[in-house]
Amino acid sequence: MKTTKYATLSLALGLAMTATAASASTAVPAPRPPDPAMAAHTVTLTNHDDGRTVVVHPGDVVDVRLTGLREKGVTWVWSDLAITAPHLLRRVGGGTTPGGDARAVLRAVGRGHGDIAAVRHCVAAPGHVCSHAVMNWKAAVDIR
C-alpha cells in the first residue's frame, strides 16, 4: 500500500513539473510598447535642396548635410546652420568640419514654421586667391 501511495505521489509530481516546464517554454512575452524614436520619420536635406520646403510632424527629424567643395587651391566652406525657430526645431547634433561641410540634426518639437539657412564662402590656400562671392542656402520646414 505504501509503495502504491509513493508511486502515485511521484507520478503526480512528475506530471506537475512537466506541465509547468511546457507552459513556461511556450509562454509568449507581453508585447512592448512602440519606441517613439523608432516611429520618427527622418527628412534629409543636402546642397541640392536649396529653396525646398519640407513638411514634417512633431517628433520627426530633419537632417541637413551640406558638403563643402575643394577646387584649384580654394575651399568653399559652409557656415554653421542657422535656425529661425529653435523653439520648434531643436538642434540635437551637428556642426562644421575643417573640410567645409556643415551638418545639423534637428528634431521637430512643436507645430509651426521654421527656416534653416547657411552661407558658403571661399577660403584660399596659401598662394591662391578667392572670389568674394558667397552662396546662400535656405530650406523651409512646416511642422504640422
Side-chain angles (χ1 to χ4, degrees), residues 25-116:
S25 67
T26 59
V28 177
R32 292 183 183 180
D35 182 1
M38 296 303 289
H41 178 70
T42 299
V43 173
T44 301
L45 299 172
T46 66
N47 296 29
H48 302 290
D49 294 308
D50 180 35
R52 182 173 171 203
T53 299
V54 295
V55 177
V56 298
H57 303 285
D60 287 351
V61 173
V62 178
D63 187 1
V64 183
R65 297 171 181 236
L66 302 179
T67 306
L69 174 67
R70 288 182 181 213
E71 63 180 11
K72 300 177 187 170
V74 299
T75 303
W76 290 89
V77 300
W78 287 104
S79 65
D80 197 15
L81 288 136
I83 295 95
T84 62
H87 61 287
L88 298 175
L89 292 167
R90 182 173 298 140
R91 188 178 198 134
V92 294
T96 58
T97 68
D101 299 345
R103 183 166 185 207
V105 180
L106 311 166
R107 181 169 302 279
V109 295
R111 296 182 190 280
H113 178 86
D115 292 326
I116 307 165

Side-chain angles (χ1 to χ4, degrees), residues 3-30:
T3 316
T4 310
K5 183 177 178 184
Y6 289 123
T8 306
L9 182 60
S10 296
L11 180 62
L13 267 164
L15 287 173
M17 290 174 61
T18 304
T20 302
S23 67
S25 67
T26 59
V28 177

